Amino acid sequence: MTRKRTEFFARDGYRLRRTMDAARLLPVLGTFLFLLPVLWAGGQSRGGYIYLFTIWIGLIVFAAILSRRLKEPKAPTGDADTQEPEDGSV
C-alpha cells in the first residue's frame, strides 16, 4: 500500500502570507463597510454616524495589529522560499 504524499508549509511562512493577504483585503473590507449605509433606507439618523466612526476606529485598530504582525522579525526556520542565498546572488 502506498501512502499519498502531502505537502506541508512552514508555519511561520504560511502565517506571514495569510497576514499579508489580510492586509491586502483590508481596504476592500473598509470600502464595503463604509458604503453599506448607502443601502440603508433612512440614512438621516445619528446611528449612521456612530456606525461610520465605529468602523473607522475598528479599521485603524485592525491595521495597527496587522502592521505589527508584519513588522515582527522572524528567526530563520529553514523554509526554502523565504531564505535568501548566502552569497548574495538572486
Side-chain angles (χ1 to χ4, degrees):
M1 195 185 305
T2 61
R3 283 190 176 180
K4 189 176 178 183
R5 185 171 180 215
T6 58
E7 297 244 353
F8 292 100
F9 299 108
R11 285 186 183 189
D12 291 337
Y14 180 78
R15 287 181 181 160
L16 178 66
R17 286 190 290 275
R18 297 298 74 86
T19 305
M20 288 170 42
D21 290 343
R24 288 182 187 122
L25 285 176
L26 189 62
V28 175
L29 175 68
T31 302
F32 173 74
L33 290 174
F34 275 122
L35 293 178
L36 193 60
V38 173
L39 300 175
W40 294 343
Q44 310 227 344
S45 68
R46 269 181 113 177
Y49 295 117
I50 293 171
Y51 171 80
L52 287 176
F53 281 108
T54 304
I55 294 301
W56 184 37
I57 291 171
L59 288 171
I60 291 169
V61 169
F62 194 55
I65 291 169
L66 285 175
S67 68
R68 273 208 174 169
R69 291 183 94 186
L70 289 172
K71 191 167 55 168
E72 289 177 353
K74 302 285 185 199
T77 59
D79 191 6
D81 358 327
T82 58
Q83 284 187 345
E84 294 181 13
E86 292 180 15
D87 62 353
S89 64
V90 177

